């Protein structure tokens, strides 16, 4: 922000509309992590951000990203919607992780998984 009035407005907005800086930062990390998975950019930090999410998020993933995320321990505790297209080439451990993760999802309202 370029001036004190802008800074004050931004701080007020973050505190009032987003629940504070911790919540706002968490939301940004989760949005970035979900976007990274959609772009097939999966690593431990991305999986941790989603596993630590306190707000619901939507996840879109292709085969490579979903398999890799499951291998890295992705759970779906706060996942609200998942949209994934994948070959049926899951390993046993990936299928187990997927089943357990979806079973533990607290607010999952939509699952669209296409196996081809």
């Amino acid at each position: 922000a370029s001036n004190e009035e802008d800074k004050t407005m931004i701080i007020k907005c973050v505190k009032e509309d987003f629940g504070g800086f911790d919540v706002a930062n968490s939301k940004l990390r989760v949005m970035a992590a979900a976007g990274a998975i959609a772009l097939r950019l999966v690593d431990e930090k991305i999986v941790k951000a989603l596993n630590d999410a306190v707000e619901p998020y939507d996840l879109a993933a292709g085969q490579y990203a979903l398999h890799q995320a499951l291998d890295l321990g992705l759970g779906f505790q706060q996942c609200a919607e998942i949209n994934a297209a994948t070959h049926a080439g899951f390993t046993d451990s990936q299928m187990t992780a997927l089943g357990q993760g979806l079973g533990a999802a607290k607010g999952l309202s939509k699952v669209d998984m296409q196996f081809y």
Side-chain angles (χ1 to χ4, degrees):
S2 60
N3 62 48
E4 284 302 314
E5 188 177 301
D6 288 345
K7 289 178 187 177
T8 302
M9 188 253 332
I10 291 169
I11 290 169
K12 181 181 176 187
C13 179
V14 169
K15 286 180 178 177
E16 293 177 4
D17 297 341
F18 295 104
F21 284 93
D22 290 339
V23 174
N25 286 335
S26 175
K27 288 180 181 182
L28 287 172
R29 279 192 298 276
V30 169
M31 285 184 350
I37 286 193
L39 295 171
R40 297 177 49 179
L41 304 171
V42 183
D43 63 20
E44 293 86 4
K45 289 179 184 178
I46 300 298
V47 170
K48 181 175 177 7
L50 293 175
N51 285 345
D52 292 347
V54 295
E55 297 283 328
Y57 64 88
D58 298 344
L59 185 67
Q63 174 181 344
Y64 171 82
L66 182 60
H67 289 202
Q68 189 174 14
L70 289 168
D71 287 341
L72 292 172
L74 178 64
F76 300 95
Q77 295 86 348
Q78 291 295 339
C79 188
E81 295 185 11
I82 183 169
N83 182 345
T86 181
H87 293 287
F90 283 97
T91 65
D92 289 343
S93 64
Q94 289 168 338
M95 269 317 258
T96 299
L98 180 62
Q100 289 174 342
L102 292 175
K106 296 175 185 174
L108 192 61
S109 62
K110 179 181 175 186
V111 177
D112 182 3
M113 296 191 77
Q114 300 172 15
F115 297 92
Y116 54 92

